Amino acid sequence: LVDPETLATLPPRELACGMAELVKAAAVADGGLFARLEAEGERVMALEPGPLAACVAAAVEVKRRIVQEDEAEAGPRMLLNFGHTLGHALEKASGGAWSHGEAVAIGMVAAARASVALGHLPASEAHRLEALLERLGLPTAAAPEETARALKALRLDKKRRGGVVHAVLLEGLGRGIRVPLELDALARLLAGGRP
């Protein structure tokens, strides 16, 4: 059950963070929703009932479809973690200065750039993702020292569980993929380097 009227009770920062979830769902599994957000993002942010309901329903459908396909989180459900590898690390390392949605937005841009570096995504599509997030009032990068701290914490945390992670990247807007990467290579990619 989703009550769009509840969104009107949120401060602008929290509303923008909710938009990050719409963008994430669109980026990994619904190119049509992504295009709609590009066309009507400001109207959704203004809580216009028609565009808001259509975009929220499409995002909920993405999540429903993915979760139903993979209830045990064995594979496809990991797509819902797009932007979360760096996002969670950045959120934690910042001590709460970045909200979850803001950190995930930054993580999505970093993951899209990593997708470009690995040859999975055209640079133009990474630019579209970044431009949409900016239009919706979300950050797209952290200060280099913040990113370095987050990636250092990520390496220390994940290395205890093994050196390979399944990164969620993009092979097109609306098409997320899971790519096994050595943690050090992933960290270099998320920092803007080469694999």
Side-chain angles (χ1 to χ4, degrees), residues 12 15-17 19-20 23 33-46 51 55 105 109 126-140 173:
L15 186 59
C17 288
M19 293 297 289
V23 173
L33 174 58
F34 193 92
R36 184 167 198 158
L37 288 169
E38 286 181 305
E40 299 183 326
E42 288 81 5
R43 294 177 67 197
V44 176
M45 283 289 290
C55 289
V109 171
H127 293 309
R128 284 174 61 197
L129 174 67
E130 185 171 356
L132 177 59
L133 290 167
E134 287 175 350
R135 279 181 42 217
L136 297 175
L138 288 157
T140 56
L173 291 171

Side-chain angles (χ1 to χ4, degrees), residues 144-180:
E145 60 274 11
E146 289 179 298
T147 301
R149 272 197 316 273
L151 291 173
K152 181 178 180 182
L154 175 70
R155 282 181 167 126
L156 293 173
D157 179 49
K158 299 277 185 176
K159 280 228 183 270
R160 285 197 282 266
R161 290 179 267 153
V164 176
V165 293
H166 285 270
V168 180
L169 303 177
L170 298 176
E171 62 178 6
L173 291 171
R175 294 187 316 276
I177 54 171
R178 294 178 304 126
V179 178

Side-chain angles (χ1 to χ4, degrees), residues 112-126:
R113 289 179 180 161
S115 302
V116 172
L118 289 171
H120 294 295
L121 184 71
S124 61
E125 295 200 3

